């Protein structure tokens, strides 16, 4: 007899299953794809022997996840690698800003912006233990209202507004803008400062690490732990209608609204169905993976020690790129996010060889090939990059959606994370639905995008309370 079914084996699906299994439930996870992990998988996308991350690559929220911190994932094979520099942000003059794990070292390198860095990102770092629950959970009565109110006032601002008022140097503003641009929104929008502050603080709270062997190792560790609790994961088992599932007290869907409606829409009252239909997906991404014969020849030495490199030059350029993309235009110089894991984890490529991972934002469902534009951005800061390329793999928005039905139009956040949709993901009900025992546990619920498993954990906690009275 099954107690609970989870549809989808992304990090949130697996986390929901683990939380349910920990409470003694018999859980089965059905995964549509032949491989487990959703947005947390690795594969030899280019040449045999080169292990690429298909989706997530850098994992600040995974190492900091309040739920995963309680799990024996190291014993299940997960090993974190912390690059010496979390983030490199190069400029056209051949120099770069580097963000290190140490808050004080990073601030000291920012010259006259050092104090402002400590007052903004540093304050979030200092108060993180008190605001973590509010940032990584559903809306609730705050335990520590004062630090949260202070964070909230800054977080609600736009990244451009905060950067221009807090920092004096264009370089610091650009670095902050690059971090905030992870939010897939124009940087003049409310709440984009919050993305920059939170993600920036993570550099110093637990770092921006990579898992040894690639992101698949996170999935493997979660799956092993689930299995040790008696849970089961069945791959290549797409659910096409929830009526066909084996009987269970609770069904948790690691799905965004569109695929959820496809399999369960007929169960919902019209008003709820319409709310899900109105859920807004955001811009997409165009992703490239490279097999390389040598490390990327960055002009700025700092970037050779960085796990992640942001390519966009100035704040103005990054802001213009994000705004144009949001408005449906293709830019010639897109903001590019790049990860270079083999500098720190040689196990992922043959001796002396490397892999690199990068993407830029594009209008939703765009069909424009961005490969040349992305490579030109890399060449701009690392002349000779193209000479190192052995092979490439390209994922356009349509490929991303094909590969994972949650990511409509290539939107890797499974829905816009703006003020309107932040607390009411995907509706004001968050995890629950009007159907008793049916829950949503994907990144389309709070706290949203990222590899942390907290959406799954919160959905499972609610299901346990309502359906299993634990
Ligand atoms: C290109 C890219 C880069 C990213 N980079 C990062 C990063 O560096 N760091 C970071 O923290 N996050 C990153 N993310 C985001 C992160 O991957 C997601 O936020 C996260 O995976 C969401 O987890 P989830 O469990 O909600 O859903 P998903 O990981 O999307 O998993 C959902 C699962 O449900 C399955 N499914 C769908 N429909 C069905 C069905 N009908 N039946 C059965 N199974 C079904 C899917 O196949 C999938 O396995 C990236 C995402 C992408 C796409």
């Amino acid at each position: 007899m099954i107690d609970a079914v989870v549809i989808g084996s992304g990090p949130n699906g697996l986390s929901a299953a683990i939380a349910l299994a920990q409470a003694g439930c018999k859980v089965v996870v059905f995964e549509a794809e032949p491989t487990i992990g959703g947005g947390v998988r690795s594969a030899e996308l280019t040449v045999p022997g080169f292990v690429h991350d298909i989706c997530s690559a850098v994992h600040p929220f995974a190492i900091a996840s309040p739920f995963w911190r309680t799990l024996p994932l190291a014993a299940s094979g997960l090993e974190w690698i912390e690059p010496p520099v979390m983030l490199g942000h190069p400029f056209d003059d051949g120099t770069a800003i580097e963000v290190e794990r140490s808050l004080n070292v990073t601030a000291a390198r920012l010259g006259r912006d050092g104090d402002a860095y400590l007052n903004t990102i540093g304050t979030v770092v200092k108060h993180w233990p008190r605001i973590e629950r509010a940032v990584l959970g559903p809306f609730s009565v705050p335990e520590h209202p004062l630090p949260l109110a202070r964070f909230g006032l800054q977080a609600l601002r736009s990244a451009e507004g905060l950067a221009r008022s807090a920092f004096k140097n264009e370089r610091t503003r650009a670095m902050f803008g690059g971090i905030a641009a992870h939010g897939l929104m124009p940087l003049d929008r409310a709440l984009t400062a919050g993305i920059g502050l939170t993600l920036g603080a993570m550099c110093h709270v637990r770092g921006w690490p990579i898992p040894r062997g690639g992101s698949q190792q996170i999935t493997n560790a979660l799956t092993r732990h689930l299995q040790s609790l008696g849970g089961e994961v069945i791959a290549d088992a797409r659910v096409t209608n929830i009526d066909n599932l084996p009987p269970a007290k609770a069904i948790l869907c690691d799905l965004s609204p569109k695929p959820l409606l496809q399999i369960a829409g007929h169960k919902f009252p019209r008003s709820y169905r319409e709310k899900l239909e109105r859920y807004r997906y955001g811009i997409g991404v165009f992703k490239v993976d490279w097999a390389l014969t040598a490390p990327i020849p960055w002009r700025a030495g700092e970037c050779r020690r960085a796990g992640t490199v942001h390519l966009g030059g100035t704040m103005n350029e990054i802001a213009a790129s994000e705004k144009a993309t949001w408005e449906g235009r293709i830019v010639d110089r897109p903001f590019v996010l790049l990860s270079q894991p083999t500098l720190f984890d040689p196990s992922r490529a043959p001796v002396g060889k490397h892999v690199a991972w990068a993407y830029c934002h594009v209008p939703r469902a765009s069909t424009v090939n961005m490969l040349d534009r992305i490579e030109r951005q890399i060449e701009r800061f690392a002349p000779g990059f193209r000479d190192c390329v052995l092979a490439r793999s390209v994922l356009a928005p349509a490929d991303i959606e094909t590969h994972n039905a949650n990511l409509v139009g290539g939107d890797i956040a499974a829905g816009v994370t703006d003020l309107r949709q932040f607390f009411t993901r995907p509706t004001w009900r968050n995890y629950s639905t009007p159907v008793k025992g049916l829950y949503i546990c994907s990144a389309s619920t709070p706290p949203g995008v990222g590899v942390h498993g907290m959406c799954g954990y919160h959905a499972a906690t609610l299901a346990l309370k309502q359906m299993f009275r634990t």
Side-chain angles (χ1 to χ4, degrees):
M1 173 66 188
I2 297 171
D3 294 309
V5 164
V6 176
I7 304 173
S9 70
N12 286 312
L14 292 174
S15 297
I18 289 171
L20 290 160
Q22 281 176 331
C25 295
K26 170 80 188 136
V27 191
V28 178
V29 181
F30 291 102
E31 167 54 50
E33 298 295 317
T35 51
I36 296 169
V40 189
R41 283 181 281 173
S42 311
E44 295 180 337
L45 296 175
T46 53
V47 181
F50 291 79
V51 178
H52 303 274
D53 290 330
I54 305 173
C55 298
S56 75
V58 183
H59 296 94
F61 288 108
I63 193 167
S65 163
F67 180 46
W68 291 358
R69 283 200 312 256
T70 67
L71 305 181
L73 298 183
S76 299
L78 178 61
E79 186 188 340
W80 291 113
I81 298 175
E82 184 178 296
V85 171
M86 303 300 127
L87 168 67
H89 187 116
F91 299 97
D92 286 316
D93 64 1
T95 64
I97 280 188
E98 52 184 348
V99 180
E100 292 201 12
R101 177 70 190 277
S102 161
L103 177 67
N104 290 328
V105 169
T106 304
R109 293 225 176 94
L110 295 175
R112 60 186 184 142
D113 276 337
D115 285 344
Y117 190 79
L118 293 174
N119 278 331
T120 50
I121 287 187
T123 303
V124 181
V125 174
K126 186 170 143 204
H127 291 305
W128 184 250
R130 282 171 289 282
I131 59 178
E132 173 187 68
R133 184 166 163 256
V135 176
L136 293 180
F139 184 71
S140 60
V141 179
E143 278 175 16
H144 302 279
L146 284 181
L148 187 63
R150 189 179 164 179
F151 168 71
L153 283 177
Q154 287 202 325
L156 282 172
R157 299 182 64 183
S158 74
E160 268 190 290
L162 181 81
R164 292 199 198 288
S165 63
F167 303 124
K168 296 186 184 75
N169 287 331
E170 279 304 325
R171 295 161 62 90
T172 320
R173 292 174 178 165
M175 178 267 286
F176 185 75
I179 298 175
H182 280 248
L184 296 116
M185 276 201 299
L187 301 185
D188 58 1
R189 291 290 172 105
L191 209 66
T192 48
I195 293 161
L197 288 169
T198 311
L199 208 46
M202 287 301 114
C203 287
H204 311 295
V205 172
R206 295 297 298 267
W208 283 16
I210 53 171
R212 187 177 299 284
S215 65
Q216 184 73 48
Q217 300 310 320
I218 300 176
T219 294
N220 292 352
L222 289 169
T223 307
R224 271 183 216 123
H225 183 55
L226 174 62
Q227 287 164 342
S228 76
L229 297 170
E232 195 184 346
V233 186
I234 305 174
D236 223 347
R238 181 175 299 277
V239 176
T240 51
N241 186 332
I242 55 164
D243 295 341
N244 300 338
L245 289 172
K249 257 185 161 177
I251 300 172
L252 285 85
C253 303
D254 189 8
L255 302 176
S256 71
K258 189 178 167 192
L260 175 66
L261 282 167
Q262 281 162 0
I263 66 164
H266 59 289
K267 294 285 209 198
F268 299 137
R270 202 171 108 202
S271 61
Y272 184 73
R273 216 169 41 230
E274 284 173 358
K275 281 193 185 112
L276 290 185
E277 279 161 3
R278 280 199 299 271
Y279 182 77
R280 287 168 303 126
Y281 290 92
I283 56 178
V285 310
F286 187 99
K287 176 170 180 275
V288 187
D289 288 280
W290 295 269
L292 301 170
T293 55
I296 300 177
W298 301 109
R299 255 189 298 156
E302 295 89 336
C303 293
R304 298 177 189 208
R305 306 195 308 130
T308 303
V309 183
H310 285 166
L311 306 172
T314 63
M315 174 75 163
N316 281 347
E317 193 182 321
I318 298 168
S321 159
E322 294 306 293
K323 195 173 174 64
T325 304
W326 184 266
E327 289 168 355
R329 286 177 284 128
I330 294 291
V331 290
D332 202 39
R333 283 181 151 189
F335 172 62
V336 173
L337 301 89
L338 184 144
S339 162
Q340 41 185 10
T342 39
L343 291 184
F344 321 101
D345 179 8
S347 74
R348 293 178 54 176
V351 179
K353 305 280 193 295
H354 290 270
V355 298
W357 163 114
Y359 67 78
C360 72
H361 300 149
V362 289
R364 173 150 30 106
S366 164
T367 52
V368 177
N369 188 335
M370 299 298 282
L371 174 64
D372 180 55
R373 291 176 179 87
I374 289 178
E375 290 196 346
R376 273 195 276 125
Q377 281 288 64
I378 303 175
E379 280 278 336
R380 173 178 163 194
F381 301 103
F385 165 73
R386 278 182 165 143
D387 299 335
C388 306
V389 175
L390 199 63
R392 303 168 170 83
S393 155
V394 164
L395 285 175
D399 305 318
I400 289 173
E401 185 174 342
T402 305
H403 164 89
N404 182 344
N406 276 353
L407 310 178
V408 175
D411 172 9
I412 66 171
V416 177
T417 314
D418 61 4
L419 211 48
R420 260 170 67 204
Q421 219 165 242
F422 186 68
F423 296 112
T424 56
R425 282 174 90 76
T427 71
W428 62 268
R429 287 173 173 274
N430 294 154
Y431 314 101
S432 70
T433 73
V435 178
K436 192 174 173 214
L438 183 63
Y439 298 88
I440 309 171
C441 68
S442 71
S444 298
T445 61
V449 61
V451 177
H452 42 63
M454 293 308 293
C455 314
Y457 169 75
H458 292 305
T461 305
L462 185 65
L464 285 167
K465 212 184 282 172
Q466 292 181 340
M467 302 306 296
F468 300 94
R469 308 237 177 273
T470 58

